[in-house]
Amino acid sequence: MKIARRALAALLLPAPAFAQASPRVVVIGGGFGGATAARSLHRAGIATTLVEANPTYTACPFSNAVIAGLRPMATQRFGYDALRAEGISVIHQRAVAVDATAKRVTLADGTVLPFDRLLVSPGIELRFDALPGYDEAASQAMPHAWQAGAQTELLAAQLHAMPDGGTVIMAVPPNPYRCPPGPYERASLIAHFLKSRKPRSKLLVLDAKDVFSKQRLFEAAWAALYPGILEYVPLAMGGRVTEVDAQARRVTTDFGSHEGAVVNVIPPQRAGAIAQASGLADRSGWCPVDPSSFESRLVPGVHVIGDAIIAGAMPKSAFAANAQARIAAAAVVAMLRGAPVQTARLLNTCYSLVAPGYGISVAGVYQPANGLLTDIPGAGGTSRPGAPASVREAEATYAEDWFATITTDAFG
């Protein structure tokens, strides 16, 4: 953490005069990674343009609480006025092409933006070709709610409209995907909703893997809070969904089929569309990067951060994107100034709500090694199993504080 803070402090130092025209950096993607990177670059004296298609960013962290009726959707929405007030140029257009050789980005309206360095924080793209029967049209009947916004509200509306006694089904994908503990937080909060509002209903969680983040903590909480409500089926017991029928709200697994009144399908994912279109992603669908500078291993002069990258042990999360943004911005500044790139350690903490006033977390510290970001042994860990209610309540408060801090840091 101290190293990351020193890197941030370096970004805040006055920029020396350049012998040539001031360098220009374009940032594509205005989420936690892109917005943080744009602010960091601008504060280092770099002329920065942020390209983001949407005038309002809808945050995924805490959106599971919206689904469960514990939080209004308005608390998830953030604009870019603070960035503009700082002097950052913000363009609400979709980036459609990157020419790294000519150093220019083309936008959907035909505008061409030149750059000296490009930083891309493209987020994820849902793979609607990966699960038979599940395409974009099917998501209107079986919402994924994995990109916060209209889908979040749709899943919430379906849960509220479901008759008491109905079955809710969740289909969880294999790794990798955005926010590893996210599906299990969602399962917990949906179970809380059912327990509170529709006590005769059940939740069936079908998982395409056997091991998941914070598993011991989640399963202990489920046993204590949601017995008879939440049923978890791992891969080994037939949890992998192989096909869906959106019209019938039916999912098929290796062991049989299940129908639900509400079905939440989280499909496999890959790096966002602009990463695919610009050659930043490899055959895995994700973007390989140098873990010290986050420069693409496939397209020189372009840096990639956030959920889209192959980050080794570091998970895909808002906290990770924010941390990577600072380090990548520092690397861009160093490269533009002809200075060496400093190697830094990165911190990530993921909070999850299991119920109102019941939080758990996992933290890790990472460093570049062998071409990836690797865990520093003994530097992280999870919440203490068997901790008293006061500790779980404190972690829920820490989660709220973290969200307020990170959203202010990114969006002002």
Side-chain angles (χ1 to χ4, degrees), residues 324-397:
Q324 292 164 14
R326 298 185 186 285
I327 304 307
V332 168
V333 172
M335 290 176 169
L336 290 172
R337 295 176 179 171
V341 172
Q342 301 297 313
T343 299
R345 295 180 177 184
L346 296 92
L347 172 68
N348 177 73
T349 301
C350 286
Y351 292 98
S352 299
L353 293 180
V354 179
Y358 190 131
I360 56 176
S361 66
V362 59
V365 184
Y366 310 90
Q367 64 184 359
N370 302 317
L372 292 169
L373 288 165
T374 61
D375 284 298
I376 297 177
T382 65
S383 303
R384 178 165 61 91
S390 60
V391 172
R392 300 294 187 235
E393 186 176 1
E395 289 224 69
T397 300

Side-chain angles (χ1 to χ4, degrees), residues 154-170:
L154 177 59
L155 181 55
Q158 288 186 357
L159 287 170
H160 281 75
M162 181 186 74
D164 190 10
T167 297
V168 181
I169 298 174
M170 280 185 63

Side-chain angles (χ1 to χ4, degrees), residues 4-230:
R5 286 174 178 169
R6 286 201 293 270
L8 175 60
L11 290 179
L12 301 178
L13 293 175
F18 289 88
Q20 300 176 352
S22 296
R24 298 160 298 187
V25 175
V26 173
V27 178
I28 298 176
F32 286 102
T36 301
R39 298 186 89 180
S40 298
L41 289 161
H42 175 76
R43 291 171 183 180
I46 305 297
T48 305
T49 299
L50 175 64
V51 176
E52 165 56 46
N54 300 305
T56 301
Y57 179 75
T58 306
C60 283
F62 274 89
S63 64
N64 287 329
V66 175
I67 291 168
L70 301 173
R71 187 180 180 90
M73 192 66 180
T75 60
Q76 301 300 114
R77 297 188 175 111
F78 301 89
Y80 297 92
D81 289 347
L83 279 72
R84 290 190 178 90
E86 288 186 31
I88 299 168
S89 174
V90 181
I91 300 176
H92 292 305
Q93 280 287 326
R94 184 169 55 90
V96 295
V98 171
D99 186 334
T101 302
K103 294 187 175 181
R104 61 187 185 186
V105 174
T106 301
L107 308 184
D109 67 353
T111 299
V112 175
L113 301 176
F115 63 82
D116 294 288
R117 286 262 162 186
L118 175 65
L119 194 151
V120 184
S121 185
I124 61 159
E125 180 176 76
L126 301 174
R127 289 188 55 202
F128 286 114
D129 60 341
L131 181 60
Y134 196 74
D135 54 17
E136 198 160 3
S139 71
Q140 297 306 304
M142 296 177 161
H144 55 77
W146 214 241
Q147 290 170 314
Q151 281 274 308
T152 308
E153 294 175 312
L154 177 59
L155 181 55
Q158 288 186 357
L159 287 170
H160 281 75
M162 181 186 74
D164 190 10
T167 297
V168 181
I169 298 174
M170 280 185 63
V172 182
N175 292 322
Y177 57 87
R178 165 188 280 170
C179 190
Y184 312 101
E185 177 189 66
R186 177 174 294 178
S188 303
L189 295 183
I190 288 177
H192 169 77
F193 172 83
L194 298 180
K195 181 179 179 179
S196 304
R197 308 278 190 90
K198 302 178 189 291
R200 295 189 296 110
S201 295
K202 309 292 182 186
L203 170 63
L204 177 65
V205 181
L206 301 171
D207 201 344
K209 53 192 174 300
D210 292 315
V211 179
F212 59 87
S213 176
K214 292 182 274 193
Q215 184 166 0
R216 183 181 176 189
L217 293 166
F218 275 115
E219 290 184 336
W222 294 344
L225 299 175
Y226 309 123
I229 297 175
L230 193 160

